[in-house]
Amino acid sequence: MSAEENLRILLASRPHGRPTPADFHLERTGVPEPAEGQVLLKILYLSLDPYMRGRMNAAKSYARPVEIGEVMEGGTVARVEKSRHPDFAEGDIVLSYSGWQGFALSDGSGLRKLDPKAAPVSTALGVLGMPGFTAYAGLLTIGRPKPGETVVVAAASGAVGSAVGQIARIKGARAVGIAGGADKCRFVRDELGFDAVVDHRAPDFPEQLKAACPDGIDVYFENVGGPVWDAVFPLLNGFARVPVCGLIAQYNKTEHAGADRLPVVMREVLTRSLTIRGFIQHEFADQRRAFFKDVSGWIAEGRVRYREDIIDGLENAPEAFIGLLEGKNFGKLIIRVTE
C-alpha cells in the first residue's frame, strides 16, 4: 500500500424511502498496488444515475444489489496510473465501472480506451455513454418515431430526456418535453430546440400538456412515472408506443396508496392497441457502434447538444445523488473526482 489516500464511499444501510447521508459511509484507505495482469486506475469522473437507487435495495431486480459495506456502484472515467497489463499503458484514459472511489484495481475486463481528442472524456458518461445510448436504442427500437408524429419525454433537460427529444426531431417527429421549472423549460425549448415544453410543476400541467399535444401522443418515452404518467396516459393515440427506461418518481416510495388502476390501464392498452415495453439498455448492445457513429456525428453537426452538471469532490456524491432523485440536477450529473 502506498502512502497516498483512497477515499471510498460504501453503502452503510438500505434506505427506507428517501436515502439520507447516514446510508453512506466514507472510508479512507491506502492505495493498492497492481499485481501482474492488473492496472491501477485513478478515477477522474464518476457518473451519478437514478438506477443506483435500485441497487441500494435488496429486492430482486435485473442486477445484483450493492451489499452493505461494498463500494457504491457507478460508471467512471479513469486514468491508468500504473500498469502491469500488456494492453494498457500509464496515462491511458478509460471508461470503467469502478464505483464511488478515488482509485481502483482492474484486470482490464470491461475497460474501454477513450480518445480525449475525439470528445471531452466526460461525455462517455453522458451523451456518448449509457444515458445517450439508452435514449437512442429505446426511442428508435421501441418508440420507432415516424415523421410528423408527436414524441413526448419527461425529465427533458436530463441526460436521457434531452437526447430523446433531439433524436426524435432528427427523425422528423415533433418533440414535446416535460421539465421542472422555468430555467429547465427555457433550456429545453431554446437550447435543445424542442417544439414545445411543459412545466410539470404548473398547477394546470395536464391541461398545458394537452394543449401542447393537439394531435395526441404517438410515442411517450417513460423515465419518470407518477403524476406525469397520469397526465400523459389519456393523450396516448391508438397504436402509441411507450418505451419504459425508468420510474424515478417512484424510486423512493415505500408504499403505493390509492385505488388499483391496473384494470383501467390494461383495458386501454387493449382497446387502443398500445405497446408498453420496459427495457435495459444492454439488451441492445449490438447497436452501440451505430449509436456512437450517429450521435457523435450529430454533435459535430450541432444537431445534438448536451449539458453537464459537474460537482467537484467525491465526498459530495451522497448529497448530489439524493438531490438527483429529487430533480435538483440540471443536465447529466457527474462528480469530478480529480483533475
Side-chain angles (χ1 to χ4, degrees):
M1 305 288 282
S2 75
E4 195 167 5
E5 190 175 64
N6 182 20
L7 175 62
R8 308 184 336 145
I9 300 182
L10 315 179
L11 179 63
S13 57
R14 300 206 183 279
H16 182 72
R18 179 183 183 271
T20 70
D23 294 316
F24 304 90
H25 173 65
L26 277 64
E27 175 185 80
R28 298 182 187 276
T29 67
V31 178
E33 288 290 331
E36 190 65 34
Q38 290 185 322
V39 295
L40 173 66
L41 302 176
K42 186 170 187 176
I43 311 306
L44 306 179
Y45 296 100
L46 164 68
S47 177
L48 295 183
D49 299 286
Y51 78 83
M52 296 172 178
R53 176 62 184 85
R55 302 291 168 81
M56 299 175 76
N57 295 335
K60 183 179 179 181
S61 185
Y62 62 88
R64 185 185 73 86
V66 177
E67 299 296 336
I68 301 298
E70 286 187 343
V71 174
M72 283 288 296
E73 180 178 321
T76 56
V77 168
R79 180 173 62 241
V80 176
E81 285 291 284
K82 298 179 181 180
S83 178
R84 300 185 66 185
H85 192 293
D87 297 335
F88 298 94
E90 293 181 11
D92 284 346
I93 305 298
V94 298
L95 176 68
S96 67
Y97 293 89
S98 302
W100 299 26
Q101 56 186 332
F103 292 88
L105 292 175
S106 171
D107 64 1
S109 300
L111 298 186
R112 178 165 66 84
K113 292 182 183 180
L114 301 175
D115 180 1
K117 296 178 182 179
V121 294
S122 59
T123 60
L125 301 175
V127 67
L128 290 176
M130 183 271 290
F133 182 62
T134 298
Y136 178 93
L139 178 65
L140 299 184
T141 306
I142 303 172
R144 307 184 310 280
K146 302 179 181 65
E149 289 190 325
T150 296
V151 174
V152 173
V153 61
S157 68
V160 175
S162 61
V164 167
Q166 293 179 92
I167 294 171
R169 295 197 78 242
I170 288 170
K171 297 300 180 179
R174 182 171 179 270
V176 176
I178 300 170
D183 289 343
K184 290 183 179 179
C185 288
R186 190 177 305 112
F187 170 72
V188 170
R189 181 184 61 247
D190 298 343
E191 295 295 322
L192 302 182
F194 280 49
D195 297 283
V197 62
V198 182
D199 189 342
H200 68 78
R201 298 176 183 173
D204 60 342
F205 164 61
E207 291 76 20
Q208 288 195 27
L209 181 63
K210 184 176 181 179
C213 304
D215 298 321
I217 297 171
D218 301 294
V219 180
Y220 174 55
F221 195 101
E222 175 66 288
N223 51 20
V224 171
V228 172
W229 166 256
D230 294 339
V232 166
F233 187 66
L235 305 178
L236 294 175
N237 290 328
F239 300 97
R241 289 83 68 197
V242 182
V244 181
C245 85
L247 298 165
I248 192 171
Q250 299 168 209
Y251 289 165
N252 286 338
K253 289 190 174 182
T254 57
E255 57 184 38
H256 299 277
D260 179 6
R261 290 179 291 174
L262 182 60
V264 174
V265 170
M266 294 303 293
R267 183 185 66 216
E268 295 301 316
V269 168
L270 172 63
T271 58
R272 284 190 262 170
S273 298
L274 305 178
T275 297
I276 302 177
R277 187 196 153 177
F279 73 100
I280 310 300
Q281 51 86 24
H282 60 66
E283 298 169 19
F284 306 117
D286 60 340
Q287 299 181 28
R288 291 189 190 280
R289 188 181 297 273
F291 153 73
F292 190 83
K293 177 178 179 295
D294 286 345
V295 177
S296 60
W298 293 333
I299 291 173
E301 296 166 359
R303 303 175 76 187
V304 167
R305 299 183 178 186
Y306 63 93
R307 178 179 177 130
E308 296 176 332
D309 188 345
I310 297 181
I311 295 176
D312 286 304
L314 181 59
E315 67 277 8
N316 295 316
E319 181 180 355
F321 176 67
I322 293 168
L324 168 70
L325 298 174
E326 299 171 348
K328 293 182 179 179
N329 62 299
F330 193 164
K332 174 69 191 88
L333 185 58
I334 296 172
I335 297 294
R336 182 159 40 210
V337 180
T338 188
E339 294 289 347

